Amino acid sequence: SFHFIPIYIFFFFWFWFWFVFVVEKMLNESTVGFIYTCGVGNVFRGHRSFEVRAVLSEEKGVGVNLGRNGIGLSGVGLRGDSWSPSSWRGFPARQQPVYENGEELEEVEQRLRRMPGLVSLEEVDRLQSELADVCRGQAFLLQGGDCAESLTESAAGITDTIRALFKMAVVLLWGSFLPVVKVGRVGGQFAKPRSEDFENRGGVSLPSYRGEIINGPGFTLDERTPDPQRMLRAYNHSAGGTNLVRALSSGGFADLRNVKQWGLADWSGKTQGGQAYFETARKIEEAMKFMEACGIESSNPIFSSTTVYTSHEGLLLPYEEGLVRREDASGRYFASSGHLIWIGERTRQLDGAHVEFFRGLSNPIAVKVGPTMKPDELLTLCEVLNPSNIPGRLTLISRMGSSKIETGLPPLLRAVKREGREVVWVCDPMHGNTYKTPSGFKTRSWSAIMQEVRGFFDAHALEGTHAGGVHFEMTGREVTECVGGTNEITEDLLKERYESLCDPRLNFSQSLELAFEIAEILEGRRM
């Protein structure tokens, strides 16, 4: 019988080879994941086509990450090959500038790889945990800041914006009785997508202005020529801005005991919004005195500090790749350029480079969702970007326009709810409501913005889903870029203080007025 042993061995390996071949070619991720969870996963170890490993998740415990076609925390999967920070280069990359000097671009990318990250993985994970609370209806997201940051923006300008964000958050907190997750469009919002590659003026055609990380706003060939060195300037400005935001958040600036003194006295009695804010501040002050009487010290860090996270559109992929960092302990990659980055309406194509880049990051990420989005397309995006369906991982930012929110949003809400996808729904009422005045100014109407916000909350109430937050382009200064509001800014007044480098922003008074309107909606929902 010993003479038959070589034959047995031959047939054993012959059968094993064809079994693995069939598994590789025919079984899908769910089947292999089932095999692994049944304890038979070790049979795949060592085979060239499968890398099976455990992945830790705070929400899901232990999951399965299949290196070839698999799924995992990072979202790697559904595209057939393993992910890397540079794998996006094999996909169509839209809205990217054309640099004249490729060697200079590569040198800048190498320098970015050697720079310290702007945010840490610990901070990124903390934000995702807070967004998971938003996803469950246990918190509310407030995201706001500049349309396009400037490399010449002063510390005072950033401070004004963060102060405005704090005030809005206090109003929303008081109205909703929910923690408010504060995310600034700051520390990296330098790149902007454009409808046209070139701008024409008086017969002269130059590259479109794409944000100061790429080129300058001045209409000259020198200003409009994309310059990779601007990425280094943007990095340095982002580092300073991010550190300033941290200092303002934890250094006493956000102390609720100072809620009346947040630069309010000079205008509180002049506007309806200011008076309403002052009344809310008085109520908060009384509530804190009551807690002190109960033995809860107002000096407790929970009252004297907060956290503001940074965010921006991850548009310029060479810059974003240069700031990807890998944590050695877990092997996780994350974008260190900001806590949360998002994919814009113009770059969310399923076969595009931005979706490829974003799917491998451990950051919480977001996608802008406009009126052209189809339910099936949205569900596929959810699967590619958050295959493990982790709460807080994916935020969907609706930007329909006031005239389209009623018909455009509900089908998407229904589809996402039907499939059980865990997402944070946020309303961006700015981008769908832009128009140009006869005098040539781009502007937005406060009334149209508020109409879209109300339509957003109404749609969620109708579909039984959770309205998780709002996303504004705003500033802490009293600019004149959007019309309307209690200050009654008209189109004729836009020229007085139109300072935006790109799109019109809500000024301080208009932003605070919106916060009170939203707080009233939230208060009505919780009654």
Side-chain angles (χ1 to χ4, degrees):
S1 60
F2 290 101
H3 297 292
F4 292 98
I5 291 178
I7 298 175
Y8 295 151
I9 294 175
F10 171 81
F11 277 106
F12 173 82
F13 281 106
W14 180 85
F15 172 81
W16 181 244
F17 172 82
W18 284 106
F19 172 75
V20 172
F21 180 82
V22 170
V23 167
E24 175 184 351
K25 298 297 183 183
M26 298 180 63
L27 293 187
N28 58 30
E29 299 90 356
S30 299
T31 307
V32 179
F34 174 77
I35 292 172
Y36 185 81
T37 55
C38 291
V40 198
N42 286 331
V43 300
F44 298 108
R45 294 187 190 274
H47 187 262
R48 62 178 176 85
S49 299
F50 289 94
E51 175 194 357
V52 185
R53 60 187 177 89
V55 179
L56 296 178
S57 166
E58 290 183 1
E59 300 293 337
K60 297 290 186 179
V62 177
V64 177
N65 188 315
L66 304 176
R68 180 167 179 137
N69 289 314
I71 54 178
L73 269 180
S74 65
V76 177
L78 303 177
R79 290 199 170 202
D81 294 312
S82 59
W83 181 91
S84 75
S86 62
S87 60
W88 65 268
R89 295 178 185 268
F91 294 79
R94 295 167 175 83
Q95 296 288 334
Q96 301 302 292
V98 177
Y99 293 103
E100 294 179 349
N101 190 330
E103 291 183 359
E104 184 181 17
L105 172 61
E106 186 174 347
E107 179 185 341
V108 167
E109 291 174 355
Q110 290 295 336
R111 289 186 62 182
L112 287 172
R113 291 187 181 98
R114 296 192 295 268
M115 297 289 196
L118 299 177
V119 302
S120 69
L121 184 58
E122 181 183 6
E123 292 172 329
V124 163
D125 287 342
R126 191 185 313 132
L127 173 58
Q128 181 160 305
S129 177
E130 293 183 23
L131 289 173
D133 290 337
V134 177
C135 188
R136 302 183 190 101
Q138 298 168 358
F140 191 79
L141 172 63
L142 172 63
Q143 186 175 9
D146 252 318
C147 163
E149 290 185 271
S150 169
L151 293 175
T152 59
E153 179 65 275
S154 66
I158 296 174
T159 301
D160 286 342
T161 298
I162 297 304
R163 180 189 290 117
L165 208 63
F166 283 162
K167 292 178 181 177
M168 294 175 72
V170 165
V171 172
L172 294 172
L173 172 67
W174 190 255
S176 66
F177 286 2
L178 290 174
V180 177
V181 180
K182 295 169 283 296
V183 179
R185 289 175 56 115
V186 64
Q189 182 55 23
F190 290 104
K192 294 294 293 182
R194 307 305 294 180
S195 301
E196 302 292 339
D197 290 334
F198 291 88
E199 180 182 353
N200 296 288
R201 293 188 194 176
V204 177
S205 179
L206 293 175
S208 295
Y209 171 60
R210 292 183 175 273
E212 292 200 5
I213 194 172
I214 295 171
N215 57 7
F219 195 72
T220 66
L221 181 59
D222 183 60
E223 275 275 286
R224 292 297 178 90
T225 300
D227 180 4
Q229 296 295 330
R230 285 177 170 269
M231 285 191 270
L232 299 177
R233 293 175 60 194
Y235 168 85
N236 290 329
H237 195 282
S238 297
T242 300
N243 286 333
L244 176 58
V245 170
R246 288 194 183 101
L248 293 174
S249 302
S250 60
F253 184 82
D255 195 328
L256 282 176
R257 292 171 296 182
N258 299 330
V259 70
K260 283 185 179 179
Q261 284 73 46
W262 286 347
L264 188 67
D266 58 337
W267 62 275
S268 61
K270 301 176 183 177
T271 67
Q272 182 179 344
Q275 293 171 359
Y277 177 84
F278 193 81
E279 178 62 19
T280 299
R282 184 188 64 79
K283 292 176 181 177
I284 291 173
E285 193 175 63
E286 289 182 351
M288 293 189 70
K289 289 179 179 178
F290 174 79
M291 287 186 287
E292 282 186 328
C294 294
I296 303 173
E297 292 293 330
S298 62
S299 58
N300 189 303
I302 196 172
F303 300 121
S304 60
S305 64
T306 186
T307 301
V308 178
Y309 298 98
T310 62
S311 69
H312 62 273
E313 180 176 356
L315 183 64
L316 185 57
L317 291 176
Y319 177 80
E320 298 299 336
E321 180 190 337
L323 289 175
V324 170
R325 299 293 179 261
R326 181 180 182 272
E327 186 193 49
D328 291 335
S330 65
R332 295 163 61 199
Y333 290 94
F334 68 103
S336 74
S337 60
H339 297 107
L340 182 150
I341 58 176
W342 71 82
I343 303 174
E345 171 77 355
R346 294 184 176 97
T347 54
R348 57 171 172 76
Q349 295 81 9
L350 287 165
D351 64 347
H354 289 82
V355 170
E356 169 63 19
F357 177 74
F358 274 65
R359 74 185 180 96
L361 301 174
S362 294
N363 304 62
I365 58 177
V367 180
K368 290 290 186 82
V369 177
T372 62
M373 179 74 82
K374 305 300 182 187
D376 289 346
E377 180 187 7
L378 181 57
L379 291 175
T380 304
L381 272 172
C382 290
E383 180 63 24
V384 171
L385 296 174
N386 189 20
S388 297
N389 205 24
I390 299 169
R393 156 73 177 172
L394 181 61
T395 295
L396 301 179
I397 306 175
S398 164
R399 42 150 294 172
M400 296 287 169
S402 60
S403 64
K404 298 178 180 178
I405 184 80
E406 185 176 344
T407 56
L409 184 58
L412 303 178
L413 298 179
R414 284 195 293 271
V416 170
K417 180 182 179 181
R418 182 183 68 244
E419 296 300 318
R421 303 306 306 188
E422 298 283 0
V423 303
V424 174
W425 280 104
V426 171
C427 177
D428 167 7
M430 308 295 293
H431 286 87
N433 295 304
T434 308
Y435 69 95
K436 185 171 286 190
T437 68
S439 58
F441 284 100
K442 289 172 67 176
T443 190
R444 292 155 173 160
S445 164
W446 187 94
S447 298
I449 291 169
M450 192 61 230
Q451 182 182 342
E452 181 163 354
V453 170
R454 291 190 183 280
F456 176 76
F457 279 96
D458 289 344
H460 280 282
L462 186 66
E463 299 298 333
T465 50
H466 178 61
V470 287
H471 177 125
F472 297 125
E473 289 185 341
M474 49 162 282
T475 176
R477 299 188 290 268
E478 290 296 337
V479 298
T480 55
E481 297 169 2
C482 292
V483 298
T486 54
N487 283 352
E488 299 181 347
I489 295 175
T490 64
E491 292 182 1
D492 292 335
L493 296 175
L494 293 178
K495 60 181 180 292
E496 292 191 0
R497 285 195 65 182
Y498 199 103
E499 301 173 4
S500 175
L501 292 173
C502 194
D503 291 334
R505 304 161 296 175
L506 295 166
N507 64 26
F508 181 32
S509 297
Q510 290 168 328
S511 300
L512 197 60
E513 188 178 354
L514 270 176
F516 275 106
E517 294 285 345
I518 296 167
E520 187 176 314
I521 295 172
L522 293 171
E523 185 176 4
R525 303 282 187 215
R526 66 177 171 83
M527 292 301 185

